[in-house]
Amino acid sequence: MANNTADHPPGNSVTEIDQDGDFGITMIQLRDLMELRSGEAVSKIAECYGDVQGICRRLKTSTIEGLSANPTDLEKRYTVFGKNFIPPKKPKTFLQLVWEALQDVTLIILEVAAIISLGLSFYHPQGEGKDNCGQASGGVEDEGEAQAGWIEGAAILFSVIIVVLVTAFNDWSKEKQFRGLQNRIEKEQKFTVIRKGQVIQISVAEIVVGDIAQIKYGDLLPADGILIQGNDLKIDESSLTGESDHVRKSLEKDPMLLSGTHVMEGSGRMVVTAVGMNSQTGIIVTLLGATGEDEKKVKKAKTQDGIALEIQPLKSEEGAETEEKEEKEKKKVNVSKKEKSVLQSKLTRLAVQIGKAGLIMSAVTVIILILYFVIDTFGVQGHKWTAECTPIYVQYFVKFFIIGVTVLVVAVPEGLPLAVTISLAYSVKKMMKDNNLVRHLDACETMGNATAICSDKTGTLTMNRMTVVQAYIGDTHYKNVPEPGAINPETLELLVNSISINSAYTTKIMPPEMEGGLPRHVGNKTECSLLGLVLDLKRDYQPIRDEIPEEKLYKVYTFNSSRKSMSTVLKNATGPGFRMYSKGASEIVLRKCSHVLDASGQPRAFKAKDRDEMVRKVIEPMACDGLRTICVAMRNFTTEPDWDNEAEILNDLTCICVVGIEDPVRHEVPEAIAKCQRAGITVRMVTGDNINTARAIATKCGILQPGEDFLCMEGKEFNQQIRNDKGEVEQERLDKVWPKLRVLARSSPTDKHTLVKGIIDSTVGETRQVVAVTGDGTNDGPALKKADVGFAMGIAGTDVAKEASDIILTDDNFTSIVKAVMWGRNVYDSISKFLQFQLTVNVVAVIVAFTGACITQDSPLKAVQMLWVNLIMDTLASLALATEPPTESLLLRKPYGRNKPLISRTMMKNILGHAIYQLVITFTLLFAGEKLFNIDNGRNAPLHSPPSEHYTIIFNVFVMMQLFNEINARKIHGERNVFEGIYRNPIFCSVVLGTFVLQIVIVQFGGKPFSCTALTIDQWLWCVFIGVGELLWGQLISAIPTHHLKFLKEAGHGIPKNEFSEEVLTEGENEIDIAEMELRRGQILWFRGLNRIQTQMDVVYTFQTGQTPVPGALRRQPSVVSQHNDAKTVSSPTHVGISSSSLSANSAVAAGPPAPASSSTTGN
C-alpha cells in the first residue's frame, strides 16, 4: 500500500502558468464535484479530469510550487470562485432591541398604570369638588393643580422610556463588542499554504481556490479540497455527515476533504476547490439562513458525555449572529434543557426568592391601601358610591395600583443581570491583556470558583523549548551531546537519516528573528529537539529531505496517542526491500527492539534482561533528571509485508540510540503554583511522560513537596485502582484515589477525561469540586469539554483543542491561569458587592413604601422617585461596583465552591445593619421630620397636592444614604478601610460624583414630575451629614463579630447535594436545571414573566453560548445536573431521542464511552 501521492508532471511550475487565461473548470463544476463522496468522486475525477493533477492544471496551480501569489491572479480567483468567508448576518437594529426590552412584564404593567393615570387626569367629572365623595373631595386645591394631574403618569412613562433605552443600549454595545472580538479571532486564525514554492501561513479569509494547503493532525479544514498527497490521513467528518468513525482519506479511495472537518491523524497536502459560500459548510449555512426558522436545526453533534453540542464549522465572520439567533430559537422551545453556570444558578434561585417576596409585598400593599380607603370612605365616613364620584375613586385605586407596582419594581433587582453583564464584559476585556482569550463568558466567573486544576506538563509548566542534553549511543551513556568523532560513522549516518526523514517535514529549525536570539523552533517541539541534535552533530537535515521529498516516502505511521511512536517507510533505491525508521517513547519502542547497535555500529541481540538493565542504568537516571526519553530505531524488510498489520511491522526493531530531552520548567511556574495552593486550589499534573520525569518536574514546580504523602501513579495503575472486574469505572473507587493524587504519568486522553469527570462528579469532601483543565492536543478535547473550565494553548494548541475549550491562553503560560482565577474571583466579588448594595436599597425602599403606604395612605417615596432610585442606582451602581480591578489579596482566601451562598453571613450582617440605620432615619423623618426641620407636615396630602419640603427631604436623605452606602459596599469580607484602592477605580469615583450632581438637579429643578421642591443649603447639609453617617455606622457594624450572629441566614445558595432527587437523575439526557424546576411550580409561574432577570440575561446568554469566537465550536455546557447525568457511564454508545422541538427530527444525542469528541448530525 503505497504512500498516497499524485505524480508530479514535469514542467508544471508556477512560472509557466498563463495568468490571464480563463480557468478550465467552473465554480459550478467544482461544487458538483465536491458533493460526491469516495468511489463516486474518484471515478468522476478520472472520467472528467484524468486525475487530481488534471484539476490542478485547469485551476492553473502547481502541486509543488503552489500559486504564484500574483495579486492580479489572486484577485481574479476571488472574483471567479468567491472569497473564503460567509457574510455576516445583519446585527439586530437598535429598534429591535428596544422592542425586546419593552417585552418586560413589569414595564408593561407600569405603562398600563401610567396610561390609565394619564387618561383619568384629563377627565374632570361634574361631581368633583363636592363633599359627598368623602376624603377624595380634598383632591383639588385649585385649577392649576388639576391641570398638573397628568404629570405623574407622564413622568412614569418617561422613566419607562429611559429604562428601555438603557437596556437596549447595553444590549447593542455588548453585541458590538463581541462582534469585534469575533473579528479579531478570525484575523488571528492562520492556515499553512504553499505559494511560490514557499510554505507560508496566511489568514483563513485569504485562502483562494487553487491554493495548495498543507494539512496536519489537529487542523480544522477551512475550505473544501481534494487530496494531492497524504500520510496515514484520518478525518473526523461527523460535523457534516454524522458518522462518528474517522474516515481514512487516500487518493485511490476517498480524496475529498470538506471544510469544517477535523484532521484526527496524519498529514498531507490538498488543492483548495471551494471556499466560503460554495464550500459544503457554506451551502449548509446558506440553507439554514434561507429558512430562518430552521436556525435551531443547525447540526447537532453527539459526544461521549451525552451532552448535545452544536457545530458551526466554517471559520466565518458569521459565528456570532447565526448562533445568537439559534440560541434564541432554542431557548423558546428548550427552556428545561438550558444549563447554567455556578453563579447563574445561584442568581436565578436568589432572584426567584426576592421576586416572591416582592410580589407578596406589593400585593399586600395594594390590598391594604384599597381596604383602608374603602373602610374609611364608605364605613367610617358613611359615604355612598355614586356615579359622579366613580372617576375620583378610580383615580385613587389607580394611584394605589401604581404604588403597588412601584414596590414590585423596587423589590426585583433588575440591575443584577446588568451588573453581571458589565462585570463579565469588563473582565473579559481586561483578561485579553493578561493573555486569556475568553470564548465562553461564564467560564470567566466559573474560574473564580475553581478548586482543582489538572494541568498538562509540556508547554504549560515547562517552556516547550526542548533540547537533547544526554544520549545513549553505541553502548555509551553520554551526559552531554557527544562530538561527532566519538560516534561510529555508520551509526551516525543512520541516526541523522532516521531523524531527518522520520519527522514531519513541516518541522524545522529557523534562524533567530533577532541577532543573538535563540533559533526558532517551528512545528513539533520534540522533533525540533532531535533536529537540533543533528545540527549539534555538525550535520544538516535539509539536504537529506531535499533528496527524499515527501512524495518519495512509501508509508508513514504518524504519531498518535495510542501508538506513542512514529514510523516512516522508504523503498530501497538500489535493491528490493524497504527500510523503516521509528521513534517514540523509550519504554514503548525498546519493548519492540530485538537488537541494538554496539560501539562498532553492528547490531547485537537485545534481550529482556538487557532491556531491564538499560532501563535501570540509562532511562531511569535520565528520567530522574527530569528528562523525556526518546528511542530512535530502524528495521529492514527484504520483502513487502502487510502494511496494515501494525503489530507485526512495529516489531523486531534495531535500537540506534536513546536520547534524553530537557524541557526546562518556566521560571515563573513554581511561584504561580504556590499562589494557587495558598488560594486553596489543588494543582495536579497529567502527562504522557514517564513517571520519573513527571515526578522530577512536579517536584521542581512545587506540585510535590518533600515529606508529603501524595500519590504519583501511571495511567495503567490508575485504571487498575478505579475500575471493577468488568472494566467499568466506579465512583467509590475513584473517590479513594483522586484526593491524594498529584501526578498522573503515562496517561491516555481517556484517563484524563475519567479523572476530570470523576473529580467533578465526586461528592466526598465539604464542597463539590469545580475543575479547570489545560490541554493542547486533539486528544485533550473530551477532557477540556468535560471540565468546568477548559484552557487551550494558543500557540501549541490544535484547532480541535481550542474549539473544545472555554479560555485560550495566548501565551501558553500557567501564570495566565492564576490571573484567570483572580479575575474570576473578582467577578464573583463584584456581583456580591453589587448584591450587598442593591439588597440594602431594596429592603429599605420596600419596607418604607409598604409601611408608609399603610400608615399614611401614600408612599413617602413616589413612583417616579422610586424609578429614579431603581434605574440610576441600579445601572450606575452596577457600573461602579462591577468594574473594581482585582487585587492579589483575592488569592489569599479559599475558593467559594458550588454550594457556598452568594450572600454570606457577613454580607447579611451588612445588609440588615445598614437597612436598620436607613429605616430608623427614614421613619424618624417621616413621622417627626416636620418638627425637626420646622417645616409643613407632608403626610396625608390629598390627591394631586403639590410636592412638600417634608417628603423632598425624605427622598433626598434616602438617596444620600444610598450614595455613601455604595462606598461601604466596596468591601464584603468585613474589611474596615472601605476607601482602600478607591483611586484605582476612576469609574467608581465618577459614578458617585455623577449621581450626586444628578440628585442636586432633580431636587432643585425636578419640580412636579419628581414630586420635589427646592431645598435650602441648610437642609442640604443636613441631608449630606445623615448620608455620611452611613460610613460611621459601617465602621460600627464591622466591629460586631459575625460568628456571634448565629441567627443570620445566608442566601443565594448553590444546589445542595440532597436536592438531586432520584427523579431528576433518571431524567436521562434532559438535564433539567434545578432553578428552572423551581420556576415551574404553579404558584410562581406568573413570576417568570415579572422577573426582569429572564429578559436581561439574554445578554449574558449571548456571550455564554451564542458567541463562539473560534467558530466550529463544540459547545460545552457546565451544569451540576448534567454532571450527575454523566455519572452513569454507558459502556456502548446508546442513542437517546430528544423531542423534535429542540432538535431536528432525526438528530440524536449519544452517551458513550470517552472517545475523542465526535458529532452526530442529519445527513446532507
Side-chain angles (χ1 to χ4, degrees), residues 20-31:
D20 303 320
D22 285 327
F23 298 104
I25 188 166
T26 66
M27 187 173 76
I28 304 297
Q29 286 172 318
L30 283 173
R31 217 169 126 160

Side-chain angles (χ1 to χ4, degrees), residues 492-565:
L492 184 61
E493 194 62 31
L494 272 174
L495 178 61
V496 170
N497 281 342
S498 176
I499 291 172
S500 306
I501 294 164
N502 185 33
S503 56
Y505 278 29
T506 47
T507 303
K508 301 186 182 72
I509 293 183
M510 311 284 276
E513 276 176 339
M514 53 187 71
E515 234 170 293
L518 291 165
R520 282 182 299 141
H521 286 185
V522 180
N524 182 295
K525 299 294 187 282
T526 310
E527 290 183 349
C528 285
S529 70
L530 292 170
L531 293 176
L533 173 66
V534 170
L535 299 176
D536 288 344
L537 293 169
K538 313 288 190 286
R539 302 294 290 271
D540 191 0
Y541 58 86
Q542 200 52 53
I544 299 169
R545 286 182 172 182
D546 294 342
E547 189 187 325
I548 304 173
E550 266 188 292
E551 289 72 40
K552 287 194 182 170
L553 304 179
Y554 192 77
K555 174 94 178 92
V556 179
Y557 297 96
T558 51
F559 181 91
N560 65 24
S561 56
S562 54
R563 245 179 230 146
K564 287 218 188 309
S565 66

Side-chain angles (χ1 to χ4, degrees), residues 712-762:
C712 285
M713 57 170 65
E714 290 196 341
K716 207 171 180 181
E717 187 191 345
F718 174 68
N719 278 303
Q720 283 165 359
Q721 294 204 16
I722 62 165
R723 293 180 189 273
N724 60 18
D725 305 337
K726 295 178 188 163
E728 294 162 347
V729 176
E730 284 188 1
Q731 188 67 44
E732 299 81 55
R733 290 177 178 230
L734 195 53
D735 285 346
K736 288 175 189 159
V737 174
W738 73 258
K740 289 243 168 157
L741 183 68
R742 289 294 177 275
V743 175
L744 185 59
R746 281 282 172 249
S747 62
S748 68
T750 316
D751 296 339
K752 193 172 188 176
H753 178 267
T754 308
L755 176 66
V756 171
K757 184 171 174 304
I759 297 177
I760 290 174
D761 288 346
S762 174

Side-chain angles (χ1 to χ4, degrees), residues 943-978:
L943 206 63
H944 302 318
S945 57
S948 63
E949 273 186 296
H950 184 186
Y951 273 28
T952 304
I953 287 175
I954 293 174
F955 167 57
N956 200 23
V957 165
F958 183 76
V959 172
M960 286 300 121
M961 290 192 295
Q962 304 319 326
L963 209 52
F964 285 97
N965 193 32
E966 197 167 333
I967 299 171
N968 280 327
R970 292 184 67 243
K971 302 294 173 192
I972 51 172
H973 298 299
E975 299 95 329
R976 282 188 171 273
N977 183 4
V978 291

Side-chain angles (χ1 to χ4, degrees), residues 906-926:
T906 309
M907 286 169 64
M908 194 60 92
K909 176 186 76 174
N910 291 342
I911 290 167
L912 295 179
H914 288 293
I916 290 166
Y917 175 83
Q918 294 182 14
L919 286 170
V920 168
I921 296 282
T922 310
F923 284 132
T924 306
L925 289 176
L926 179 59

Side-chain angles (χ1 to χ4, degrees), residues 283-553:
I283 293 165
I284 290 171
V285 172
T286 316
L287 291 172
L288 290 171
T291 56
E293 262 305 290
D294 294 343
E295 284 292 345
K296 59 177 176 280
K297 291 185 187 171
V298 156
K299 302 298 173 189
K300 285 283 166 194
K302 68 178 189 319
T303 71
Q304 71 289 348
D305 282 343
I307 302 172
L309 305 174
E310 282 146 29
I311 297 221
Q312 201 262 323
L314 196 70
K315 298 277 171 275
S316 70
E317 293 170 12
E318 200 244 336
E321 300 70 46
T322 10
E323 308 230 6
E324 186 177 342
K325 182 162 178 194
E326 174 190 317
E327 268 320 302
K328 291 276 164 57
E329 290 285 343
K330 214 165 82 210
K331 213 179 304 147
K332 286 178 199 163
V333 297
N334 197 10
V335 177
S336 66
K337 294 182 181 70
K338 193 79 194 157
E339 294 186 26
K340 291 190 174 66
S341 70
V342 179
L343 179 65
Q344 261 185 281
S345 53
K346 288 181 184 180
L347 283 177
T348 309
R349 290 166 69 84
L350 191 65
V352 170
Q353 291 160 359
I354 296 170
K356 278 181 186 172
L359 201 55
I360 293 163
M361 289 291 266
S362 64
V364 171
T365 309
V366 174
I367 291 164
I368 290 178
L369 284 171
I370 290 173
L371 282 177
Y372 190 101
F373 175 77
V374 169
I375 292 166
D376 189 51
T377 308
F378 303 120
V380 179
Q381 297 181 29
H383 293 289
K384 295 275 186 296
W385 185 303
T386 57
E388 58 203 28
C389 289
T390 301
I392 293 171
Y393 295 149
V394 170
Q395 244 170 321
Y396 264 99
F397 290 147
V398 168
K399 178 181 160 186
F400 299 152
F401 181 62
I402 287 175
I403 291 169
V405 172
T406 310
V407 171
L408 178 67
V409 168
V410 174
V412 176
E414 62 269 48
L416 193 53
L418 192 60
V420 175
T421 304
I422 290 172
S423 183
L424 290 174
Y426 171 76
S427 300
V428 165
K429 214 169 175 182
K430 295 286 185 190
M431 283 169 80
M432 293 283 267
K433 292 180 184 162
D434 282 343
N435 302 309
N436 283 284
L437 199 156
V438 181
R439 297 183 54 245
H440 296 134
L441 207 78
D442 61 325
C444 169
E445 150 265 311
T446 310
M447 200 53 217
N449 286 311
T451 55
I453 298 173
C454 294
S455 173
D456 258 5
K457 177 180 77 70
T458 309
T460 316
L461 301 174
T462 59
M463 287 182 179
N464 203 12
R465 186 178 179 85
M466 302 200 183
T467 39
V468 173
V469 289
Q470 294 187 23
Y472 177 86
I473 308 175
D475 292 342
T476 313
H477 183 176
Y478 297 95
K479 291 289 185 181
N480 295 303
V481 176
E483 287 297 315
I487 305 170
N488 180 288
E490 286 172 24
T491 308
L492 184 61
E493 194 62 31
L494 272 174
L495 178 61
V496 170
N497 281 342
S498 176
I499 291 172
S500 306
I501 294 164
N502 185 33
S503 56
Y505 278 29
T506 47
T507 303
K508 301 186 182 72
I509 293 183
M510 311 284 276
E513 276 176 339
M514 53 187 71
E515 234 170 293
L518 291 165
R520 282 182 299 141
H521 286 185
V522 180
N524 182 295
K525 299 294 187 282
T526 310
E527 290 183 349
C528 285
S529 70
L530 292 170
L531 293 176
L533 173 66
V534 170
L535 299 176
D536 288 344
L537 293 169
K538 313 288 190 286
R539 302 294 290 271
D540 191 0
Y541 58 86
Q542 200 52 53
I544 299 169
R545 286 182 172 182
D546 294 342
E547 189 187 325
I548 304 173
E550 266 188 292
E551 289 72 40
K552 287 194 182 170
L553 304 179

